[in-house]
Amino acid sequence: MSLIVETLNRPPQDLFAGPCRYSAVSLSPQRLASLSEDVRWETRWAVARLDGRPAGTLSTHRPATSRFSGGPYDLTLLQERMARPVPEDPRRWVFVGGCRDLAAGAVTAGGLSEADTDRVRRALAVHAFGEAHAAGDLPVGLHVREKEAAAFVAGLGPRASARVLDETADLPLTGDDPEQHVMALRPSQRERCRKDRRRFEALGYPAARVSAASVLAEAAPLVCAVKAKYGVADHPRLSLFRLQEWVRAFGEDACHASVVRDGAGRLVAVSFFTVQGEVLEGYEIGLVDELPGRELAYLQAMIHGPVDYAFELGCRSIDLGLSSSTVKQRRGAVISATWLVTVTDVTTETAGPDASAA
């Protein structure tokens, strides 16, 4: 079977028109395609065709100006994890597979076998990373999921450099309702969830699912407050813009908010989710700064409420995103690494993901 990869300046609509596979909801075709309209980035598409049929794509994104304020995408802050120097001019940074939502990866055709999917991922990585590297730029994939990172590393061979960047949590759902799900957890996890519920009731922190669009303006300052605690500069208007952009990409019917209010009706915690097939994926979370039982409001909005909603919406797993791994694992989540992948000029010893897992 012939496999050809080319670079395009527009999204591969023939691929996106059919069923696709991707490692995170934020890499879905509609979310990625919206980047082509974002003037802050120069976006191109490595597109693979297998016997003439669309087989996969790996996007690349270059900052459009020398003034860069990308927060966690500022490569100068990741210099120690790089296997090569970071150019001072951000226009020489090439983000492979995504440049927002802390996820990167390829989109592949839904009908491919596992072997062909792996072959396509490898070929796309060779093309996208190699093209940027040959131009003297710095190609990097940030927060590539484990299985896909293994495919990238296998494709790039001895030039590959991969380092663990963070951890992500996925919560598989068991049974037909939330109670059956809790009953199927390990004893320590089951008791922790039940203890959480008792404390929610004592504090008066019920959770509710509402349309995401209905609470965006109210939630934006809370999202900023969370980012500030992690040292990320933000502004409610920018936060609101991102949330509105997210809703536009997926559509209002697919975007939900898990909200917790206090006795006076004030919004104290919120977590945003979107539905894609059988996956409920988290996006942003917001919390007020000062609140009795602040951690419990977080747990209700982030984990327990969404478990209820996932069953209502027909989902079988919840992508709980990055960070707070221990808290999530204690309530049933499965933790896996996310990777920083780049290329070097010489062979390096790399503690990368096992290519046999791809």
Side-chain angles (χ1 to χ4, degrees):
M1 299 176 72
S2 65
L3 177 59
I4 298 174
V5 182
E6 60 180 338
T7 301
L8 302 178
N9 292 322
R10 60 188 183 279
Q13 296 300 341
D14 53 350
L15 171 68
F16 289 173
C20 295
R21 298 170 64 183
Y22 36 88
S23 60
V25 172
S26 54
L27 301 176
S28 64
Q30 60 265 51
R31 183 67 168 153
L32 280 178
S34 67
L35 278 164
S36 288
E37 305 168 4
D38 192 332
V39 298
R40 295 170 297 180
W41 301 93
E42 294 178 4
T43 296
R44 304 178 79 191
W45 307 82
V47 180
R49 299 189 183 279
L50 199 57
D51 286 343
R53 300 189 303 273
T57 188
L58 187 62
S59 59
T60 61
H61 314 274
R62 184 193 304 272
T65 71
S66 59
R67 298 182 63 185
F68 186 77
S69 57
Y73 285 91
D74 187 341
L75 296 185
T76 62
L77 303 178
L78 298 172
Q79 176 68 76
E80 292 184 1
R81 303 197 188 193
M82 293 289 182
R84 54 189 284 185
V86 173
E88 292 184 6
D89 188 347
R91 290 172 295 184
R92 293 184 55 203
W93 305 349
V94 178
F95 296 96
V96 179
C99 60
R100 63 183 177 193
D101 300 345
L102 301 181
V107 177
T108 55
L112 297 179
S113 67
E114 288 294 333
D116 282 340
T117 296
D118 181 57
R119 182 184 172 201
V120 167
R121 284 172 172 165
R122 295 185 189 205
L124 288 168
V126 170
H127 186 92
F129 282 92
E131 190 172 66
H133 182 68
D137 297 324
L138 172 59
V140 58
L142 294 183
H143 295 289
V144 183
R145 297 321 193 237
E146 188 106 24
K147 187 173 184 180
E148 204 153 5
F152 288 0
V153 167
L156 295 171
R159 293 186 304 156
S161 172
R163 299 286 186 273
V164 171
L165 194 55
D166 208 325
E167 291 180 327
T168 188
D170 293 286
L171 179 61
L173 301 177
T174 303
D176 298 323
D177 57 44
E179 189 56 38
Q180 289 184 15
H181 165 73
V182 171
M183 284 295 297
L185 297 175
R186 296 201 305 266
S188 61
Q189 295 171 333
R190 184 166 60 245
E191 178 52 34
R192 194 174 296 275
C193 287
R194 288 175 171 169
K195 181 178 180 181
D196 287 345
R197 290 177 175 179
R198 292 193 295 269
R199 297 174 73 187
F200 297 152
E201 186 173 354
L203 285 166
Y205 286 160
R209 174 170 64 92
V210 300
S211 163
S214 69
V215 293
L216 297 185
E218 191 179 9
L222 276 66
V223 171
C224 289
V226 170
K227 291 185 180 299
K229 284 189 175 293
Y230 288 92
V232 178
D234 202 3
H235 188 280
R237 289 184 181 177
L238 291 175
S239 178
L240 179 58
F241 172 78
R242 287 196 309 273
L243 290 165
Q244 291 171 333
E245 182 184 55
W246 171 74
V247 170
R248 281 195 299 271
F250 289 111
E252 289 192 15
D253 290 345
C255 296
H256 306 266
S258 173
V259 301
V260 177
R261 296 184 182 275
D262 63 15
R266 179 182 62 142
L267 183 67
V268 296
V270 59
S271 186
F272 291 98
F273 290 86
T274 187
V275 177
Q276 292 285 284
E278 294 188 339
V279 178
L280 185 66
E281 179 170 284
Y283 183 48
E284 296 273 24
I285 185 164
L287 283 167
V288 297
D289 279 328
E290 301 296 332
L291 180 72
R294 186 174 185 270
E295 179 184 351
L296 288 165
Y298 161 82
L299 290 172
Q300 180 71 299
M302 182 68 176
I303 300 176
H304 291 274
V307 167
D308 293 342
Y309 317 145
F311 281 101
E312 293 173 7
L313 296 165
C315 297
R316 301 307 302 170
S317 67
I318 305 175
D319 185 337
L320 294 172
L322 304 177
S323 304
S324 303
S325 297
T326 300
V327 169
K328 297 168 184 175
Q329 189 174 38
R330 287 174 175 172
R331 290 156 179 86
V334 177
I335 308 300
S336 58
T338 68
W339 293 80
L340 182 157
V341 180
T342 186
V343 295
T344 63
D345 289 311
V346 296
T347 302
T348 59
E349 291 190 11
T350 300
D354 182 2
S356 66

